[in-house]
Amino acid sequence: MEAYTILNHEKFLRTRSKEVDFTKDSYQKEIEVLEEFCLEHEVLAMAAVQIGIQKRIIYLKNTDIDNLEDQEHNERRILINPVITKRIGLTEYWEACASCLNNMGRVLRPYKIEIEYVDEFGEKQKSIFEGFEATVLSHEYDHLNGILHIDVAEEVLQMEKEERKEFRKKHGYEIFSKTGNYQTLLEEKKKG
């Protein structure tokens, strides 16, 4: 299989990914490439654009916050052409990203998201993601729209991977609210 690497090219990463056109696009090869990449690298999830595939495909490998160290864990959830239809609640996490080198950002995300997408078998799906899995999915969803976590972070720090692990032990995933309109809660939080 062709070798792919994580892209750090900002101009490319800041481009909106194209929707998969099911009448003419093949997407199985892209899913295989994403899976192979995720299994070989220490990532929680991956948007196709991060490895040079500009299609709206997300591969979720591990969204279990209590199991982050287990690199063998593979949920293998594929979302094609995802659309977030509702954002509820508010959380905070110090996010990192394979495409952003050592830039770690404190990001506010919804606690719960409702999303519509097509699965790897071409079936339309509606799902609810809650807690940390909503944070992971929101991060990858932003990639599809050319947005990096450092763009929406309240604060950005430079840290190597091992430093991040230690830092997160003291600054873990925080839930501010499990209910309420995300946008309203976000604005209130930013006002202080």
Side-chain angles (χ1 to χ4, degrees), residues 14-52:
R14 292 191 183 282
T15 303
R16 183 176 168 83
S17 296
K18 296 179 176 93
E19 285 200 6
V20 172
D21 180 343
F22 294 99
T23 63
K24 57 184 172 182
D25 285 345
S26 167
Y27 56 89
Q28 292 303 325
K29 180 178 188 259
E30 286 87 350
I31 291 171
E32 288 174 24
V33 169
L34 276 168
E35 179 166 49
E36 181 178 316
F37 192 90
C38 287
L39 293 177
E40 291 177 5
H41 295 84
E42 194 172 329
V43 297
L44 301 179
M46 184 70 54
V49 67
Q50 291 179 268
I51 57 172

Side-chain angles (χ1 to χ4, degrees), residues 110-126:
Y111 172 75
K112 180 163 93 174
I113 57 175
E114 294 180 13
I115 191 162
E116 296 177 357
Y117 61 96
V118 176
D119 67 20
E120 65 182 299
F121 307 107
E123 300 294 322
K124 290 183 179 180
Q125 303 290 337
K126 290 182 182 180

Side-chain angles (χ1 to χ4, degrees), residues 158-173:
Q158 294 275 317
M159 285 189 195
E160 299 286 333
K161 184 167 75 172
E162 291 307 314
E163 288 179 279
R164 287 194 300 264
K165 287 180 181 179
E166 289 303 312
F167 184 85
R168 285 183 177 141
K169 288 178 183 176
K170 295 178 184 165
H171 304 88
Y173 179 70

Side-chain angles (χ1 to χ4, degrees), residues 104-163:
M104 183 169 78
R106 183 172 56 84
V107 182
L108 299 167
R109 300 271 189 201
Y111 172 75
K112 180 163 93 174
I113 57 175
E114 294 180 13
I115 191 162
E116 296 177 357
Y117 61 96
V118 176
D119 67 20
E120 65 182 299
F121 307 107
E123 300 294 322
K124 290 183 179 180
Q125 303 290 337
K126 290 182 182 180
S127 295
I128 295 174
F129 289 78
E130 290 187 45
F132 189 68
E133 67 179 3
T135 295
V136 173
L137 184 53
S138 295
H139 176 109
E140 299 307 328
Y141 185 80
D142 276 356
H143 274 298
L144 300 181
N145 296 314
I147 299 167
L148 303 175
H149 76 286
I150 56 176
D151 299 334
V152 295
E154 301 300 302
E155 182 179 0
V156 176
L157 300 174
Q158 294 275 317
M159 285 189 195
E160 299 286 333
K161 184 167 75 172
E162 291 307 314
E163 288 179 279

